[in-house]
Amino acid sequence: MSFTTVVFYILSAILLLAAFRVITAKNPVHAALFLVLSFFTASGLWMLLESEFLAISLVLVYVGAVMVLFLFVVMMLDIDIEKLREGFWKNFPLAGTIAIIMAGEMALILGSPEAGLHTYPARAPLSADFSNVRELGVLMYTRYMYATELASVVLLLAIVAAIALTQRQRKDSKAMNVSEQVAVRAVDRVRIVKMAAAPVDTAATDEDQPQA
Amino acid sequence: MNWATLNLMPALPELFLLSAVLVLLVIDMLLDDERRGVLYGLSLATLAGCAAMQYLAWTPVPVETFQKMFVADPLSGVIKFFLYGVTAAVLIYTRQYVADRQMFKGEYFTLTLFALLGMNVMVSASHFMTLYIGLELLSLALYALIALRRDSVPATEAAMKYFVLGALASGLLLYGMSMVYGATGSLDIATIARVIASGNGNTVLLVFGLVFLVAGLCFKLGAVPFHMWVPDVYQGAPTAITLMIGSAPKLAAFVFLTRILGQGMEALLSQWQGMLMIVAVLSMALGNLTAIVQTNIKRMLAYSTISHMGFLLVGFLTGNAEGMSSAMYYAIIYVLMSLAAFGVLLALSRAGFECEKVADLKGLNQRNSWYAFLMLLAMFSMAGIPPLAGFYAKFAVIRAAANAGMVPLAVFAVLMSLIGAFYYLRVVKAMYFDDAEEDAAIEVRADMRLVLSLNGLALLALGVLPQQLVALCMTAVKQSLTSL
């Protein structure tokens, strides 16, 4: 077994373990950190395939940006995660059994000699001056231009959907509208009533009474 | 490739639709709440424009563009015309409903048109990557539309369930696609078909991937045993969005199925035929039997959808031109029926009242005999009673199965449609033979009244004269699936 194969199995084992802990960890912050670990090991797998650009962008985008934001949200919100997952451990034995059976079946099929995985030749190593970024860029903007444009439409849709779902006036919000406050004029707030300094006579008070 | 050789003509409707959505997004910002109705008119105008572009881009033979990632053929052309029509009907039917429920916002229209764009992309995809991106575009828009009514707990729950199960289905689909890529070395549907037919593909890997593809596809169709999300989402979502989920996406899902199994994996027919047969039998049985005990009419229609998808698969799994075209005809008729049924439910709902129970339809004939008649047409058509369109659709798929030598399956389908008739007739009984429990006036906008009436009468007309549409489906399938 070559060195890269050993590294591959170690990274895969860590990846699976981390992914499993993401769904079983009791503390949401721990779950998020395990997700970071699984992204990190996945980028290690890409590195083994000599796809450095994808590996680095996975770390930069997912670990650096998405997960930090996610951790931030998890820490800000006061969610009782145990209450949310009351049914989790009840259903776990059945779901776990099914998952193990499925994984076993898949392993039997793919591991059998008939699957012919051994007939696939090993990947030839890339030359030293091979640029991942250039190859990806060329493919994305020529051959896969249509798919790239569509992916940008998906991103636009995500923006529209996120704004539609989150932007609304909350009834219980006590936030103040700063621009309204700045633009306020004295006449909107204070009503100045001119009245005589002399003691009020009885006829005037009668007039102020609501009419029956 | 350079710009001079890039043929944009086949993708004209999609380009127009995308530009129109972008323009609508900007116009939405300039409008205040009172003038939001402008977007309604502009959305309908966009759909009319798309149909006109589709007419210009019509091609009798398949034309590929965008480096063979996009294909325009009669199958996609016919289905897209129906997609525009169905989406327009959905917008017209739901206008009053969404206005009554604080959902009449610009996003309602842009998300709907985004969903339509996703369906268009799916229908015209000739590459696994574009198939998948189209599907995600459609699904993301639908998740957001379900959750658009933030204050409704059932709607949020339905959106969450749909999202989680939809993500799982996408995962299965992608895993299957990656296996097919491993076996054939390509994601291009035509190339995959060629490699499989030449016998150079790794058969074990191909069938392994096929299992996941079929599972993912059945998830999206809502066929048993991948149907769990259908009743909850149909019931939980606002009726307007249920109408949207239950109509046009089914047409797109049919083409999705045809592109992957009918075009890409055509040579593996003997493998997927058996899988789909099990799914079809289970869907028809479970859908029809469970629908009997439902009191919520949205949930009942959800189980009825599951059984209709079973019938569609009965035609599809024959794998020949007759079966595929009958399945296409079934998909179109199913969409028209569910439009009519949900349309009447929307007409009966008003601000502060949701028409969701079978009991809410009691004595509808006394309150308004025309809507009762339209619902009667939809229910009889779904039950497959002649001379309505649903009868001919069922007849066509069952005949295709029998002609392909699958007589037991055909007999089973007939039996199941008999059982199904029970719960459709229960709705008719409630409308015509029970006394009305309320007498609130049924106020419906004139445009909706007109389109809903045409929709109901189309079920009658297509049942009496099905030949044109059947011939159209046959030509579309034969011209597009050249291997048949």
Side-chain angles (χ1 to χ4, degrees), chain A residues 68-186:
Chain A
V68 168
L69 208 66
F70 202 76
L71 265 178
F72 205 66
V73 173
V74 166
M75 287 180 182
M76 299 276 269
L77 295 178
D78 180 26
I79 306 172
D80 189 357
I81 199 92
E82 275 307 288
K83 211 177 148 201
L84 285 178
R85 301 197 317 189
E86 266 171 352
F88 183 83
W89 291 108
K90 198 179 80 205
N91 295 321
F92 186 76
L94 180 64
T97 318
I98 292 173
I100 289 170
I101 291 174
M102 274 182 72
E105 285 173 346
M106 283 157 64
L108 279 178
I109 293 172
L110 293 178
S112 74
E114 280 90 48
L117 292 185
H118 56 276
T119 59
Y120 283 84
R123 204 175 49 83
L126 300 170
S127 63
D129 58 349
F130 183 86
S131 165
N132 263 296
V133 187
R134 194 193 309 123
E135 294 299 317
L136 261 178
V138 166
L139 275 181
M140 272 173 70
Y141 292 104
T142 56
R143 198 155 166 225
Y144 294 102
M145 180 189 76
Y146 180 54
T148 311
E149 290 298 323
L150 281 177
S152 71
V153 177
V154 173
L155 286 181
L156 176 67
L157 166 64
I159 297 172
V160 174
I163 293 175
L165 291 185
T166 51
Q167 209 221 25
R168 59 174 181 151
Q169 203 72 48
R170 287 176 62 121
K171 287 183 205 76
D172 53 347
S173 169
K174 295 196 171 59
M176 296 165 194
N177 188 336
V178 178
S179 57
E180 259 178 37
Q181 285 209 318
V182 172
V184 81
R185 291 168 304 160

Side-chain angles (χ1 to χ4, degrees), chain A residues 106 109-110 114-117 120 142-147 150-151 153-154 156-157 160-161 164-166 168 171, chain B residues 22 66-67 69-70 107 111 114 117 121 129-130 133 137 140-141 144 147 150-151 175 182-183 202 204-205 208 212:
Chain A
M106 283 157 64
I109 293 172
L110 293 178
E114 280 90 48
L117 292 185
Y120 283 84
T142 56
R143 198 155 166 225
Y144 294 102
M145 180 189 76
Y146 180 54
L150 281 177
V153 177
V154 173
L156 176 67
L157 166 64
V160 174
L165 291 185
T166 51
R168 59 174 181 151
K171 287 183 205 76
Chain B
L22 299 180
F66 287 124
Q67 303 286 310
M69 296 190 94
F70 181 100
E107 289 87 2
L111 287 174
F114 267 126
L117 181 64
V121 170
M129 203 185 296
T130 39
I133 298 179
L137 198 55
L140 268 177
R150 279 286 303 272
D151 304 326
Y175 191 66
N202 178 333
V204 176
L205 269 190
F208 185 75
F212 286 93

Side-chain angles (χ1 to χ4, degrees), chain B residues 274-337:
Chain B
M275 299 182 204
L276 288 188
M277 205 181 290
I278 297 172
V279 172
V281 166
L282 287 177
S283 301
M284 288 188 291
L286 189 136
N288 278 320
L289 292 176
T290 323
I292 291 175
V293 295
Q294 304 305 324
T295 53
N296 184 308
I297 193 163
K298 279 161 78 182
R299 209 172 170 82
M300 188 198 95
L301 287 173
Y303 281 107
S304 122
T305 304
I306 295 173
S307 77
H308 284 300
M309 290 303 122
F311 280 105
L312 190 152
L313 287 177
V314 168
F316 185 84
L317 62 81
T318 59
N320 55 35
E322 188 198 358
M324 299 254 185
S325 63
S326 70
M328 181 175 168
Y329 180 75
Y330 200 98
I332 294 171
I333 296 298
Y334 162 74
V335 169
L336 288 180
M337 297 189 295

Side-chain angles (χ1 to χ4, degrees), chain B residues 58-239:
Chain B
W58 176 264
T59 140
V61 286
V63 181
E64 285 177 324
T65 185
F66 287 124
Q67 303 286 310
K68 297 194 173 178
M69 296 190 94
F70 181 100
V71 63
D73 52 13
L75 174 69
S76 66
V78 171
I79 291 285
K80 278 187 215 167
F81 272 122
F82 278 100
L83 286 179
Y84 305 138
V86 169
T87 310
V90 166
L91 286 179
I92 292 170
Y93 289 0
T94 56
R95 189 190 188 302
Q96 193 59 46
Y97 184 92
V98 294
D100 289 342
R101 284 160 185 77
Q102 292 85 45
M103 289 159 65
F104 197 69
K105 293 185 279 193
E107 289 87 2
Y108 177 75
F109 298 101
T110 41
L111 287 174
T112 307
L113 293 179
F114 267 126
L116 176 67
L117 181 64
M119 288 187 266
N120 263 2
V121 170
M122 273 166 82
V123 166
S124 268
S126 58
H127 194 275
F128 274 179
M129 203 185 296
T130 39
L131 267 179
Y132 177 70
I133 298 179
L135 177 69
E136 284 305 297
L137 198 55
L138 165 67
S139 308
L140 268 177
L142 287 181
Y143 303 146
L145 277 169
I146 299 173
L148 202 56
R149 210 173 155 204
R150 279 286 303 272
D151 304 326
S152 157
V153 177
T156 315
E157 191 189 322
M160 201 64 207
K161 275 183 184 155
Y162 194 29
F163 178 70
V164 172
L165 289 176
L168 184 66
S170 297
L172 290 176
L173 211 57
L174 283 179
Y175 191 66
M177 286 175 179
S178 72
M179 286 294 153
V180 172
Y181 178 70
T184 61
S186 177
L187 286 171
D188 178 54
I189 289 174
T191 316
I192 291 171
R194 214 166 35 243
V195 173
I196 299 177
S198 71
N200 288 334
N202 178 333
T203 321
V204 176
L205 269 190
L206 271 175
V207 178
F208 185 75
L210 181 65
V211 173
F212 286 93
L213 282 178
V214 169
L217 288 170
C218 289
F219 243 119
K220 296 296 176 192
L221 274 177
V224 180
F226 309 101
H227 65 288
M228 305 296 184
W229 60 273
V230 182
D232 290 342
V233 171
Y234 270 51
Q235 188 183 359
T239 311

